[in-house]
Amino acid sequence: MIVRDTLFYRTLVSMARQRPGLDEPRCQAMLDILSAADALRSALRHSLHYAEISELQFCVLTILLALDPLPCTPALLADHAGVSRAAITEALDRIEERKWITRDRSQEDRRSYFIRLTEFGRTVIDQLAPAVIRHLALQADGLKGNAPQQLQELCGKLGAPITPLATA
């Protein structure tokens, strides 16, 4: 985790200042963005902790809500969540224990399962998702005017693929 104004942060900024070819202001800006992202993610996890749900479990329920009433396979859930199938299986085990989903074996391919929200799971995510969105909106309270749109544009530019790190 990158925290602003720590020894780790200051050392990286100092290295960017001292090394030829490194752009200190850009490096510092990127470290600031990473720091803010870490803080936001930490706040999200903290709010989900009170609901006794992991970030991935929340993601799975949200995906299932988006696809509802259609069922979803674990492989498709993993793709939509950007995680491994093993991670999805573990998340599904936890939310199935809480009766938020059902797993039904496919009639065509007995190795496959279809995942669906239960009514209880739908109620949980219908209440939890707006609470999380409100919490995130509070985190963004300092963004005034067209700052949200500018931040979205900036994030779009920063999210472009880059060449992997090369070690010297």
Side-chain angles (χ1 to χ4, degrees), residues 73-80 85 88:
T73 64
L76 187 58
L77 279 171
D79 288 345
H80 282 305
R85 290 181 186 184
I88 283 295

Side-chain angles (χ1 to χ4, degrees), residues 129-148:
V132 167
I133 293 167
R134 273 192 297 278
H135 184 79
L136 292 173
L138 285 172
Q139 294 288 118
D141 200 39
L143 297 176
K144 305 293 184 201
N146 66 348

Side-chain angles (χ1 to χ4, degrees), residues 40 43-44 47-48 58 123-142:
L40 288 169
L44 171 64
S47 67
L48 291 174
F58 175 71
T123 299
V124 168
I125 194 63
D126 276 342
Q127 293 173 357
L128 187 57
V132 167
I133 293 167
R134 273 192 297 278
H135 184 79
L136 292 173
L138 285 172
Q139 294 288 118
D141 200 39

Side-chain angles (χ1 to χ4, degrees), residues 83-94:
V83 298
S84 70
R85 290 181 186 184
I88 283 295
T89 299
E90 186 176 324
L92 291 174
D93 289 345
R94 299 296 150 269

